[in-house]
Amino acid sequence: MSSGLIKTAALDPPRLNGAELLLPIPKAGEEVILSRGAAALVVLPVFLQAPWVRLHPFSAGLFSFLLLGVGILLGMRVEPAKARWGALLVGFSGSWLAGTLFWGWLRAHPLLHLPIEALALPLALTGLQGRWRLGCSFYLASLVGTTLTDLAMALTGVMRLWPAVVEAPIEEAQPLLQQAALTLSRPTSLAILLAFTGLILLIARTLRRRGRLCPSGDASWGVASAVLITTLMIDGLFLLTALIQPRFSGLI
């Protein structure tokens, strides 16, 4: 499952030869700031990308390349702090582009959601071995969160309602989305949701603990943990919004 984070060996301190370059170890305070920044980047698409993609998906897609360009420029800077934020932006640009492609043109095909989100997976796995490690960790954690969310939706039966919700006029989509959310109140669905919640929390805790034990002080673990925790919070907020006020959920 998304290779890089479930098998935590993918985030083990890389063995590099003299030609490869890793960024210097961040200070403890900066690790916290990087984790909070990663969490903010998970939240950003909910408030910015969702409405933007509905209005003009092409320009939202172009914004991915602006993010990538800025990230590369910062990532190549000599100053370690700027380089780390640049690497984080590079990882975020991959998630942003995948989200734009799916929600802009393929949103009625839920089975394509995960393959689209995983478009940059080979690059992310390769990038774990160099200076872009922080951004790759962000992308992989986002992908793991997406994988678990989609799997939970499939097992609870919500995914089969997805095409009808996103293709219906907004007046009809609101009750459909509310109905889909209500199906999650069944005992079986609640058990599945609790199991996936526990799994995400366990993975996030394991990653954070591994980061504290890592002798290199690698901030990638903390960033990955923050992304998963924030993804879980966003999923909960989405479910609550779908129940109370579906039109503000971002899906319709």
Side-chain angles (χ1 to χ4, degrees):
M1 170 193 254
S2 302
S3 303
L5 292 178
I6 297 302
K7 298 179 180 178
T8 55
L11 277 177
D12 284 340
R15 299 176 181 177
L16 304 175
N17 57 44
E20 294 175 306
L21 176 64
L22 279 178
L23 297 174
I25 298 170
K27 298 178 181 179
E30 188 183 349
E31 288 187 43
V32 173
I33 294 174
L34 284 168
S35 295
R36 291 177 179 175
L41 290 177
V42 175
V43 176
L44 185 62
V46 178
F47 298 100
L48 179 60
Q49 187 180 34
W52 189 353
V53 165
R54 293 182 69 78
L55 292 173
H56 204 290
F58 185 72
S59 62
L62 289 179
F63 185 65
S64 308
F65 298 99
L66 176 62
L67 289 170
L68 178 62
V70 172
I72 291 176
L73 289 175
L74 286 175
M76 299 304 295
R77 295 291 293 270
V78 176
E79 303 94 324
K82 291 182 179 180
R84 277 186 281 270
W85 283 103
L88 198 58
L89 274 181
V90 168
F92 176 61
S93 70
S95 296
W96 181 283
L97 177 60
T100 300
L101 290 174
F102 179 78
W103 293 105
W105 291 279
L106 301 168
R107 62 203 315 260
H109 306 282
L111 292 180
L112 295 179
H113 186 213
L114 193 56
I116 294 297
E117 292 285 351
L119 283 176
L121 179 59
L123 292 175
L125 292 175
T126 303
L128 283 172
Q129 303 304 314
R131 69 183 299 122
W132 307 105
R133 178 179 177 82
L134 200 64
C136 295
S137 300
F138 176 95
Y139 174 83
L140 289 171
S142 298
L143 186 57
V144 168
T146 298
T147 301
L148 292 174
T149 299
D150 281 12
L151 185 55
M153 290 178 63
L155 292 176
T156 56
V158 173
M159 187 169 285
R160 61 184 174 80
L161 303 174
W162 185 329
V165 171
V166 299
E167 292 186 317
I170 190 167
E171 299 80 10
E172 300 176 19
Q174 292 187 51
L176 286 173
L177 180 57
Q178 199 166 37
Q179 177 188 349
L182 285 172
T183 62
L184 298 176
S185 62
R186 295 177 300 186
T188 303
S189 298
L190 285 175
I192 292 172
L193 292 179
L194 288 174
F196 275 87
T197 298
L199 178 58
I200 291 175
L201 290 174
L202 178 62
I203 296 172
R205 181 182 179 185
T206 301
L207 292 172
R208 184 167 295 280
R209 182 180 297 174
R210 187 60 182 273
R212 290 172 179 170
L213 296 176
C214 183
S216 66
D218 190 353
S220 301
W221 300 93
V223 164
S225 177
V227 168
L228 284 175
I229 292 294
T230 309
T231 299
L232 183 61
M233 294 172 62
I234 292 297
D235 287 345
L237 179 62
F238 172 81
L239 176 58
L240 184 63
T241 306
L243 287 168
I244 299 174
Q245 187 50 265
R247 65 177 298 178
F248 295 133
S249 67
L251 184 62
I252 61 177

